Amino acid sequence: MDALIEKARVLVEALPYISKFRGRALVIKVGGRAMDEPAMREKLAEDLILLRWVGIDVVVVHGGGLQIGEMLSRLGILSRFAGGMRITDEPTMHVVEMVLGGAVNKELVRVIQGKGGRAVGLTGKDGGLALAKRLSSVGTEGVDPGLVGDVIRVDPTVLKRLAGEFIPVIAPIAVDEQGTTLNVNADPFAAKLAVALGAEKLVLLTDVQGVKDREGILIPTLHAQHARGLIASGIITGGMIPKVEYALSALHEGVAKVHIIDGRLEHALLLEIFTDRGVGTELVA
Amino acid sequence: MDALIEKARVLVEALPYISKFRGRALVIKVGGRAMDEPAMREKLAEDLILLRWVGIDVVVVHGGGLQIGEMLSRLGILSRFAGGMRITDEPTMHVVEMVLGGAVNKELVRVIQGKGGRAVGLTGKDGGLALAKRLSSVGTEGVDPGLVGDVIRVDPTVLKRLAGEFIPVIAPIAVDEQGTTLNVNADPFAAKLAVALGAEKLVLLTDVQGVKDREGILIPTLHAQHARGLIASGIITGGMIPKVEYALSALHEGVAKVHIIDGRLEHALLLEIFTDRGVGTELVA
Amino acid sequence: MDALIEKARVLVEALPYISKFRGRALVIKVGGRAMDEPAMREKLAEDLILLRWVGIDVVVVHGGGLQIGEMLSRLGILSRFAGGMRITDEPTMHVVEMVLGGAVNKELVRVIQGKGGRAVGLTGKDGGLALAKRLSSVGTEGVDPGLVGDVIRVDPTVLKRLAGEFIPVIAPIAVDEQGTTLNVNADPFAAKLAVALGAEKLVLLTDVQGVKDREGILIPTLHAQHARGLIASGIITGGMIPKVEYALSALHEGVAKVHIIDGRLEHALLLEIFTDRGVGTELVA
Amino acid sequence: MDALIEKARVLVEALPYISKFRGRALVIKVGGRAMDEPAMREKLAEDLILLRWVGIDVVVVHGGGLQIGEMLSRLGILSRFAGGMRITDEPTMHVVEMVLGGAVNKELVRVIQGKGGRAVGLTGKDGGLALAKRLSSVGTEGVDPGLVGDVIRVDPTVLKRLAGEFIPVIAPIAVDEQGTTLNVNADPFAAKLAVALGAEKLVLLTDVQGVKDREGILIPTLHAQHARGLIASGIITGGMIPKVEYALSALHEGVAKVHIIDGRLEHALLLEIFTDRGVGTELVA
Amino acid sequence: MDALIEKARVLVEALPYISKFRGRALVIKVGGRAMDEPAMREKLAEDLILLRWVGIDVVVVHGGGLQIGEMLSRLGILSRFAGGMRITDEPTMHVVEMVLGGAVNKELVRVIQGKGGRAVGLTGKDGGLALAKRLSSVGTEGVDPGLVGDVIRVDPTVLKRLAGEFIPVIAPIAVDEQGTTLNVNADPFAAKLAVALGAEKLVLLTDVQGVKDREGILIPTLHAQHARGLIASGIITGGMIPKVEYALSALHEGVAKVHIIDGRLEHALLLEIFTDRGVGTELVA
Amino acid sequence: MDALIEKARVLVEALPYISKFRGRALVIKVGGRAMDEPAMREKLAEDLILLRWVGIDVVVVHGGGLQIGEMLSRLGILSRFAGGMRITDEPTMHVVEMVLGGAVNKELVRVIQGKGGRAVGLTGKDGGLALAKRLSSVGTEGVDPGLVGDVIRVDPTVLKRLAGEFIPVIAPIAVDEQGTTLNVNADPFAAKLAVALGAEKLVLLTDVQGVKDREGILIPTLHAQHARGLIASGIITGGMIPKVEYALSALHEGVAKVHIIDGRLEHALLLEIFTDRGVGTELVA
């Protein structure tokens, strides 16, 4: 019985956090192990359902690089990258859309539904949710990335229709004004959604601990200006640079906080939202 | 960090229970130590808020015998009882209403609000919520209990107006057709509300462990017919007899389950709703 | 039959006044004989119901000094005042809340319901309606009044939920940020509500005829500047000073008119709202 | 001031009647002097507005025989009648529609709006409100009445759209399945509307005192069976026969009460609804 | 079958136009042959229904000069005009209202209903839709036109109640502040409605091709400034001058486009809205 | 201009059909060339948008056999069939879901959005739309089809949320009670949806003309009993047998009409809905 009471105490400890976020939008970019490993995916689904059921308007954006790469390889299509973006020709785009929108997306929906939640899987195409424009070049050498785009307008109508009951799970694919399907990086896609929805937080679930300082120690809270300095001085490097830049851009456009957290931790999302001890780096303006 | 993860696990363990009760009405009669002791009252408030925030339509009915007795004594008014009911003359009724509706009720509201919830305190008078008729006699000797009544009609309009957001906290006072204020026992008041609201459960928070068998061992689940037998054979005795009878009546009128649980346990309510191991006796039809 | 026709004529004479106030909020502070005497209270209830039923959003705030004093005296607690405010220690506050929220409030509700209206009794605690802060000192000598406060924020959500159907009857009790229960004077409590609700009128029912001039003649209409002059020149004196000051403050914050009327007149409220001849003093900006 | 208080008393005397009819539909057929004389029409408008503003769903059906006859005469078209119905050829129908729908209807609307109410004038054509079928013969001699019909279906959609705010004022004109415009007697038109709306009452405003007995004394309350007897025995005669028959038919189809009242009395409608002393004959099932 | 496919192609050609106007208000002044000839009226009704059913908020204002003139003549009342306006004394006003509101209006309603649409006929009196003030003089010689007015305020409440389902058909009659019924020219009445409703377009159906240039050639698109020039230089003459002036005024007050189109063409309205080739003159700011 | 008028005539010819189906649900199974060929797909999208915009609640279910077969072949997975169903092992199911939900579904959405409509692509998994159970055997020889299911319950909540604005486009994939993803034939999936939505019509777009009689002549209207006879007597053969059986089952469960039409005809859907001459076989109970 004491163990049970201890459990009840844990439940009520969440109250102040629930109070803070009820009725607010939370955009969560899920990727990496949290999404790719079945057992972790179930934990993630539980976290999402719990957030939804305590009244937080959770919106999920997912990546799927692993699954895309695997399918491209099975089909004998070469994967090429520039500046961290997949160079996307037409056959590749077809596979990207099929894998993200048909496999990864619906698998997340299935797991959430299986855990008792209600989820609806969408892409940026559905209901005209995301309009994009093609990137002319990526990377330092200015390579044409092909069918790769950036979200330039969000129409949240379809999300509003689903609100309050369903968790929208969104694959980062969009069309441009000409109706051409474009591949969009999940991080900036999520950032743009967070801005459009006036989200309280944008959370990026990753496979790293967070942003680290010169000594390799995790930085729990990072101010925008400091973050810019860390990039300039080469302490933030590699794939973390664009993540931090998307985060800074979201902060600049009005999102209050962006979290880069370690999705390899079980229930990382709950720990981040429902405890005082964060589980990664929190970026603030 | 492991401790935190353990906490997160506890949170998600609640999911199947939340799923089961979301959108359902739960009428909770609070009394005894759970309500009377400030520290316990805060725990109770936390439980109520959590239930409300995960989407359960919690309705609270409270007693207040202790506080009434104390105030009557301060005012030099003698407390008399018959058949477990307070014999209520006019001066007593005035004090009962003042204490229940003005002190106990608003204190519960204050604690819930202080913990971040939203509560509205009412009596059966407000919005014509409860119409009663006078009991002509109580107890085995048929004593006239004075201004004591039984709820004969519930108008849930005011509760519906508050639904979804506020926790209604109700003092068991009603008027009869003539507009006379009547004192109603909180247990049957809660039972009548549970029936009127089509509640999924009626929970009676008490200062005992639950219903016990001949050997004094707690009975976790008790069928209506068995309960009647235990009363007939004198195993259920004293103040537990009317409690069980109100429970049986609620079951008979369509409430699925009635729980008589031990409010002296911290977070008893959460333990009952959110774990498989109940914390008292569950009565079923 | 002629008498009946005459009555019908009276009914239709109200049309232009109904037309003017339909759909507007009217905050009415009731106190004194209009509330304390049972026969007058019934007349008051009729007035309130009629206003509610012709579509005016009536909100009632009540005092209860008489009943508080009486109960304190019965309990052997000394009543002390400074600057017109009751000095309120903890035992006093307990009694104030019990009497206002449990006795006076519910009695008004009972009478309105008995006359066929629908009323819900609240205090400033319910639904977080009124947040207050403690007054550090009152009166010219700067006495610490104890648990006495001033409303600093109104959350009208609970009133909106009840709107259109129920008459909210509100006891002027509030909590501060720390959750401490505070005693608030009914006049400024009503004034703050009127401002928060964008009320068309604030009506203060009193036991005097209204504001009088140097010759003791009732002033039917009083402009803010003139009122300030009357205070400065000592013509407005005693308990009328704070009343006029609350009125001026409400006018300043956007309430169009404040009426100080004579509640000792039968149906004073209807006379004020439904005839051209007011029954007291009307203050305008 | 005493006179004013007396007036206020009259207002509150209406409360029990308001309480009884709030939210209920009341279909009122207006005709005769109450409608034809400008001064009486203003009084009628006041009655209608007051009923609407205290929450009664007033629906008005009007006749206009006088005005039709006058216009036909100015145009040199002969008025012919059979069995109390106007024999309606095409030129007559054109005039009937023009006078009822364009002149009488809009004049009632104008007066109600002028008195501060909100009215919308319609005919049975508008929004497909009333579908009729042609009467093949009228009167004892079975004359073909031409373009005269009986309402066979009511579509209350347009009335529902206007409900709660506007007083619908309806000219008794309808179309049949072929789209032919038909003249309908206002009494049965109102009776059919009352049935379709589940009206609490149907009131027929006439230029007589009500139904009288053998001695010529007004019968205040008349049961259906008794009414049939009075027709059979020739005590009810002439134009009162069809009125009573329409009333009986409305009672039979579920309208609780039908009133045949004397519209020549000022404020007859208010007297009927808001006093215990009726002003004509009340027919009950 | 090929013919059918061709028909289907025509249907889908309308899609871009539907897309453009869905959910927007369109005020259409109908007059002349389109309204006066039964066969043309049926075509007009079909156009209106189609526009309504594809989601365009169609509002119809109609004239009726022909029918008014005819009825006045039958009644021996002389028609007089000044500056294009009918000089309207009381007997004339009575006829104007009867004919417009009772005959022409209800005939349009009947035809729309008969074609399967849903229409409600109103005048500016109904629901206080249009408030007017009397014109003191009209024409170059400043003749007093009598009961002739100009709309100075529109209350669209009644139109909002009917929106989405019903086509409002409005006769251009209004009252002034004194409740006097006034005759309003249908063109400026429609223009004022278009402004008040924030209409996308105002369409004036006439019996001419549109506005023509010096050579008598139809001008498809006419800018406001150019239009003013054409009036100044005497190229626009006669009855077209006020039409163009009302159009300019509507453009000035925010209506995006005004169309003066040839109602003698079958389905002129559909051609205008649903094809690229307009059927008259389009005026733009 | 005459050509334009002719076009307008075609538009209004659709009115009676619009009138008949407005506000009713229409479930359309699209497959074959209508969906597979880009030009035909655009025409189909136009038809769907037009139906949606005139107020018909269009719901689309699509197949995708061709695309699935192609992708399986590219991945070196063998396609096997039994009783017309694809034998679906896990690797096949993965491909089916990816192709249907990610490629075919989103392509239809893209085309509808590109034509100006609003579409949302879903599978039976989304929002728990379709619950299925595994088929134990298919075909005459009772082969185990693997991960193939039949819809046993439809939860239309997500469709209701999207109604009125969006065209739902649904890939026929579902989960069973254990959360296993199952492949469902699009025809019975559409039939079950039609029943659950109380659809007015179920339309199956195919690559054949419809059902033919012994002489190979198209049967325009086929009664259920006659259809059963044609199957029994071997006149309906091959893939048409299950189609007709699904149709009969939908008729039996309350769908009024099922149409098997020739999707190879341009705008076949519009021809079926908006003309008297059907374009295939209509099955009625």
Side-chain angles (χ1 to χ4, degrees), chain D residues 123-160:
Chain D
T123 70
K125 284 180 172 178
D126 294 291
L129 175 61
L131 183 77
K133 78 154 185 252
R134 281 176 76 150
L135 293 181
S136 48
S137 77
V138 294
T140 46
E141 290 157 58
V143 176
D144 175 355
L147 299 167
V148 169
D150 215 22
V151 172
I152 57 170
R153 202 165 60 228
V154 170
D155 176 346
T157 311
V158 67
L159 299 185
K160 282 180 187 155

Short mmCIF file of all heavy atoms in Angstrom, two decimals, chain D residues 123-160:
data_model
loop_
_atom_site.label_atom_id
_atom_site.label_comp_id
_atom_site.label_asym_id
_atom_site.label_seq_id
_atom_site.Cartn_x
_atom_site.Cartn_y
_atom_site.Cartn_z
N THR D 123 -45.05 35.63 -45.29
CA THR D 123 -46.27 34.93 -45.66
C THR D 123 -45.93 33.43 -45.60
O THR D 123 -44.78 33.06 -45.37
CB THR D 123 -46.72 35.27 -47.10
OG1 THR D 123 -45.80 34.68 -48.02
CG2 THR D 123 -46.76 36.77 -47.32
N GLY D 124 -46.91 32.60 -45.82
CA GLY D 124 -46.67 31.17 -45.81
C GLY D 124 -45.75 30.73 -46.94
O GLY D 124 -45.21 29.62 -46.91
N LYS D 125 -45.52 31.62 -47.91
CA LYS D 125 -44.61 31.30 -49.02
C LYS D 125 -43.15 31.35 -48.58
O LYS D 125 -42.32 30.61 -49.11
CB LYS D 125 -44.76 32.35 -50.13
CG LYS D 125 -46.00 32.21 -50.97
CD LYS D 125 -46.01 33.31 -52.03
CE LYS D 125 -47.14 33.09 -53.00
NZ LYS D 125 -47.21 34.18 -54.01
N ASP D 126 -42.86 32.27 -47.69
CA ASP D 126 -41.46 32.54 -47.34
C ASP D 126 -40.82 31.35 -46.66
O ASP D 126 -41.32 30.85 -45.65
CB ASP D 126 -41.38 33.80 -46.47
CG ASP D 126 -41.79 35.03 -47.24
OD1 ASP D 126 -41.04 35.44 -48.15
OD2 ASP D 126 -42.88 35.57 -46.98
N GLY D 127 -39.70 30.92 -47.20
CA GLY D 127 -39.00 29.77 -46.64
C GLY D 127 -39.81 28.49 -46.71
O GLY D 127 -39.53 27.55 -45.97
N GLY D 128 -40.85 28.48 -47.57
CA GLY D 128 -41.68 27.29 -47.66
C GLY D 128 -42.42 26.99 -46.36
O GLY D 128 -42.68 25.84 -46.02
N LEU D 129 -42.75 28.07 -45.63
CA LEU D 129 -43.37 27.91 -44.31
C LEU D 129 -44.65 27.08 -44.33
O LEU D 129 -44.84 26.20 -43.50
CB LEU D 129 -43.65 29.30 -43.73
CG LEU D 129 -44.39 29.39 -42.40
CD1 LEU D 129 -43.60 28.71 -41.29
CD2 LEU D 129 -44.63 30.86 -42.02
N ALA D 130 -45.55 27.37 -45.29
CA ALA D 130 -46.84 26.67 -45.28
C ALA D 130 -47.17 26.12 -46.66
O ALA D 130 -47.20 26.85 -47.65
CB ALA D 130 -47.95 27.61 -44.82
N LEU D 131 -47.40 24.83 -46.71
CA LEU D 131 -47.86 24.19 -47.94
C LEU D 131 -49.36 23.95 -47.78
O LEU D 131 -49.82 23.48 -46.74
CB LEU D 131 -47.13 22.86 -48.14
CG LEU D 131 -47.48 22.14 -49.44
CD1 LEU D 131 -46.75 22.80 -50.61
CD2 LEU D 131 -47.09 20.66 -49.36
N ALA D 132 -50.11 24.30 -48.83
CA ALA D 132 -51.56 24.15 -48.73
C ALA D 132 -52.09 23.26 -49.83
O ALA D 132 -51.36 22.91 -50.77
CB ALA D 132 -52.22 25.52 -48.82
N LYS D 133 -53.34 22.85 -49.68
CA LYS D 133 -53.99 22.25 -50.85
C LYS D 133 -55.35 22.93 -51.03
O LYS D 133 -55.95 23.42 -50.08
CB LYS D 133 -54.11 20.73 -50.69
CG LYS D 133 -55.19 20.21 -49.82
CD LYS D 133 -55.55 18.79 -50.27
CE LYS D 133 -56.74 18.30 -49.46
NZ LYS D 133 -56.37 17.29 -48.50
N ARG D 134 -55.78 23.00 -52.29
CA ARG D 134 -57.03 23.73 -52.60
C ARG D 134 -58.22 23.05 -51.99
O ARG D 134 -58.32 21.82 -51.95
CB ARG D 134 -57.22 23.80 -54.11
CG ARG D 134 -56.35 24.86 -54.74
CD ARG D 134 -56.48 24.85 -56.22
NE ARG D 134 -57.74 25.45 -56.65
CZ ARG D 134 -57.87 26.08 -57.82
NH1 ARG D 134 -56.83 26.20 -58.64
NH2 ARG D 134 -59.03 26.59 -58.18
N LEU D 135 -59.13 23.86 -51.48
CA LEU D 135 -60.41 23.35 -51.02
C LEU D 135 -61.28 23.15 -52.24
O LEU D 135 -61.38 24.03 -53.10
CB LEU D 135 -61.07 24.37 -50.09
CG LEU D 135 -60.38 24.61 -48.75
CD1 LEU D 135 -61.17 25.63 -47.94
CD2 LEU D 135 -60.28 23.31 -47.98
N SER D 136 -61.92 22.01 -52.35
CA SER D 136 -62.75 21.78 -53.54
C SER D 136 -64.11 22.48 -53.42
O SER D 136 -64.66 22.96 -54.39
CB SER D 136 -62.93 20.28 -53.77
OG SER D 136 -63.30 19.67 -52.57
N SER D 137 -64.61 22.55 -52.20
CA SER D 137 -65.89 23.26 -52.07
C SER D 137 -66.03 23.79 -50.67
O SER D 137 -65.46 23.24 -49.73
CB SER D 137 -67.06 22.33 -52.39
OG SER D 137 -67.29 21.47 -51.29
N VAL D 138 -66.74 24.88 -50.52
CA VAL D 138 -66.99 25.45 -49.19
C VAL D 138 -68.48 25.73 -49.04
O VAL D 138 -69.22 25.77 -50.01
CB VAL D 138 -66.21 26.77 -48.96
CG1 VAL D 138 -64.73 26.52 -48.94
CG2 VAL D 138 -66.59 27.79 -50.00
N GLY D 139 -68.87 25.93 -47.81
CA GLY D 139 -70.27 26.27 -47.54
C GLY D 139 -71.16 25.06 -47.65
O GLY D 139 -70.75 23.98 -48.08
N THR D 140 -72.37 25.24 -47.29
CA THR D 140 -73.32 24.12 -47.29
C THR D 140 -73.72 23.74 -48.71
O THR D 140 -74.07 22.59 -48.99
CB THR D 140 -74.58 24.49 -46.49
OG1 THR D 140 -74.98 25.81 -46.91
CG2 THR D 140 -74.29 24.51 -45.00
N GLU D 141 -73.60 24.70 -49.60
CA GLU D 141 -74.02 24.39 -50.97
C GLU D 141 -72.84 23.91 -51.83
O GLU D 141 -73.01 23.71 -53.04
CB GLU D 141 -74.66 25.63 -51.60
CG GLU D 141 -76.02 25.93 -50.98
CD GLU D 141 -76.40 27.39 -51.15
OE1 GLU D 141 -76.46 27.82 -52.31
OE2 GLU D 141 -76.60 28.08 -50.14
N GLY D 142 -71.70 23.74 -51.22
CA GLY D 142 -70.58 23.19 -51.97
C GLY D 142 -70.10 24.05 -53.11
O GLY D 142 -69.87 23.57 -54.22
N VAL D 143 -69.95 25.32 -52.87
CA VAL D 143 -69.45 26.23 -53.91
C VAL D 143 -67.93 26.05 -54.06
O VAL D 143 -67.23 25.87 -53.07
CB VAL D 143 -69.75 27.69 -53.50
CG1 VAL D 143 -69.16 28.67 -54.51
CG2 VAL D 143 -71.25 27.89 -53.37
N ASP D 144 -67.43 26.11 -55.30
CA ASP D 144 -65.98 26.10 -55.52
C ASP D 144 -65.43 27.48 -55.15
O ASP D 144 -65.77 28.47 -55.80
CB ASP D 144 -65.69 25.79 -56.99
CG ASP D 144 -64.20 25.88 -57.31
OD1 ASP D 144 -63.41 26.28 -56.43
OD2 ASP D 144 -63.84 25.57 -58.45
N PRO D 145 -64.57 27.55 -54.14
CA PRO D 145 -64.12 28.87 -53.68
C PRO D 145 -62.96 29.43 -54.50
O PRO D 145 -62.47 30.50 -54.19
CB PRO D 145 -63.67 28.58 -52.26
CG PRO D 145 -63.17 27.17 -52.31
CD PRO D 145 -64.00 26.46 -53.34
N GLY D 146 -62.50 28.67 -55.48
CA GLY D 146 -61.39 29.15 -56.28
C GLY D 146 -60.06 28.95 -55.58
O GLY D 146 -59.80 27.87 -55.02
N LEU D 147 -59.26 29.99 -55.56
CA LEU D 147 -57.89 29.87 -55.05
C LEU D 147 -57.84 29.97 -53.53
O LEU D 147 -57.20 30.85 -52.95
CB LEU D 147 -57.00 30.93 -55.70
CG LEU D 147 -56.90 30.81 -57.22
CD1 LEU D 147 -56.28 32.05 -57.85
CD2 LEU D 147 -56.11 29.56 -57.61
N VAL D 148 -58.56 29.05 -52.88
CA VAL D 148 -58.63 29.03 -51.43
C VAL D 148 -58.07 27.69 -50.96
O VAL D 148 -58.36 26.66 -51.56
CB VAL D 148 -60.08 29.22 -50.95
CG1 VAL D 148 -60.21 28.93 -49.45
CG2 VAL D 148 -60.55 30.63 -51.25
N GLY D 149 -57.26 27.72 -49.91
CA GLY D 149 -56.63 26.47 -49.51
C GLY D 149 -56.61 26.26 -48.01
O GLY D 149 -57.01 27.12 -47.22
N ASP D 150 -56.12 25.11 -47.68
CA ASP D 150 -55.99 24.67 -46.30
C ASP D 150 -54.54 24.25 -46.09
O ASP D 150 -53.98 23.57 -46.95
CB ASP D 150 -56.89 23.45 -46.11
CG ASP D 150 -57.49 23.43 -44.73
OD1 ASP D 150 -57.56 24.51 -44.11
OD2 ASP D 150 -57.89 22.35 -44.29
N VAL D 151 -53.95 24.64 -44.97
CA VAL D 151 -52.54 24.29 -44.74
C VAL D 151 -52.43 22.79 -44.46
O VAL D 151 -53.14 22.26 -43.61
CB VAL D 151 -51.96 25.10 -43.56
CG1 VAL D 151 -50.57 24.60 -43.20
CG2 VAL D 151 -51.92 26.57 -43.90
N ILE D 152 -51.57 22.11 -45.20
CA ILE D 152 -51.40 20.67 -44.95
C ILE D 152 -50.01 20.32 -44.42
O ILE D 152 -49.80 19.21 -43.95
CB ILE D 152 -51.70 19.82 -46.22
CG1 ILE D 152 -50.80 20.27 -47.39
CG2 ILE D 152 -53.17 19.91 -46.60
CD1 ILE D 152 -50.87 19.34 -48.59
N ARG D 153 -49.08 21.25 -44.53
CA ARG D 153 -47.76 20.98 -43.96
C ARG D 153 -47.08 22.29 -43.58
O ARG D 153 -47.14 23.26 -44.33
CB ARG D 153 -46.89 20.19 -44.95
CG ARG D 153 -45.76 19.44 -44.25
CD ARG D 153 -45.10 18.36 -45.11
NE ARG D 153 -44.52 18.92 -46.31
CZ ARG D 153 -44.70 18.42 -47.54
NH1 ARG D 153 -45.47 17.35 -47.72
NH2 ARG D 153 -44.14 18.97 -48.58
N VAL D 154 -46.42 22.30 -42.44
CA VAL D 154 -45.72 23.50 -41.97
C VAL D 154 -44.24 23.16 -41.87
O VAL D 154 -43.87 22.13 -41.31
CB VAL D 154 -46.26 23.95 -40.59
CG1 VAL D 154 -45.38 25.02 -39.98
CG2 VAL D 154 -47.70 24.45 -40.73
N ASP D 155 -43.38 23.99 -42.44
CA ASP D 155 -41.92 23.83 -42.28
C ASP D 155 -41.43 25.00 -41.43
O ASP D 155 -41.28 26.12 -41.92
CB ASP D 155 -41.24 23.83 -43.65
CG ASP D 155 -39.71 23.76 -43.53
OD1 ASP D 155 -39.18 23.96 -42.42
OD2 ASP D 155 -39.05 23.51 -44.54
N PRO D 156 -41.20 24.76 -40.13
CA PRO D 156 -40.92 25.88 -39.23
C PRO D 156 -39.49 26.39 -39.28
O PRO D 156 -39.11 27.22 -38.46
CB PRO D 156 -41.24 25.30 -37.86
CG PRO D 156 -41.00 23.84 -37.99
CD PRO D 156 -41.22 23.47 -39.44
N THR D 157 -38.67 25.91 -40.25
CA THR D 157 -37.25 26.29 -40.27
C THR D 157 -37.05 27.81 -40.18
O THR D 157 -36.25 28.29 -39.38
CB THR D 157 -36.55 25.75 -41.54
OG1 THR D 157 -36.87 24.38 -41.69
CG2 THR D 157 -35.05 25.93 -41.45
N VAL D 158 -37.77 28.56 -41.02
CA VAL D 158 -37.54 30.01 -41.03
C VAL D 158 -37.93 30.63 -39.69
O VAL D 158 -37.26 31.54 -39.20
CB VAL D 158 -38.27 30.68 -42.23
CG1 VAL D 158 -39.78 30.60 -42.10
CG2 VAL D 158 -37.83 32.12 -42.38
N LEU D 159 -38.97 30.10 -39.04
CA LEU D 159 -39.35 30.63 -37.73
C LEU D 159 -38.26 30.33 -36.70
O LEU D 159 -37.96 31.16 -35.83
CB LEU D 159 -40.69 30.04 -37.27
CG LEU D 159 -41.88 30.35 -38.18
CD1 LEU D 159 -43.17 29.82 -37.57
CD2 LEU D 159 -42.00 31.86 -38.43
N LYS D 160 -37.68 29.14 -36.79
CA LYS D 160 -36.62 28.79 -35.85
C LYS D 160 -35.41 29.71 -36.01
O LYS D 160 -34.76 30.06 -35.03
CB LYS D 160 -36.20 27.33 -36.04
CG LYS D 160 -37.20 26.39 -35.40
CD LYS D 160 -36.80 24.93 -35.57
CE LYS D 160 -37.92 24.03 -35.06
NZ LYS D 160 -37.87 22.70 -35.70
#
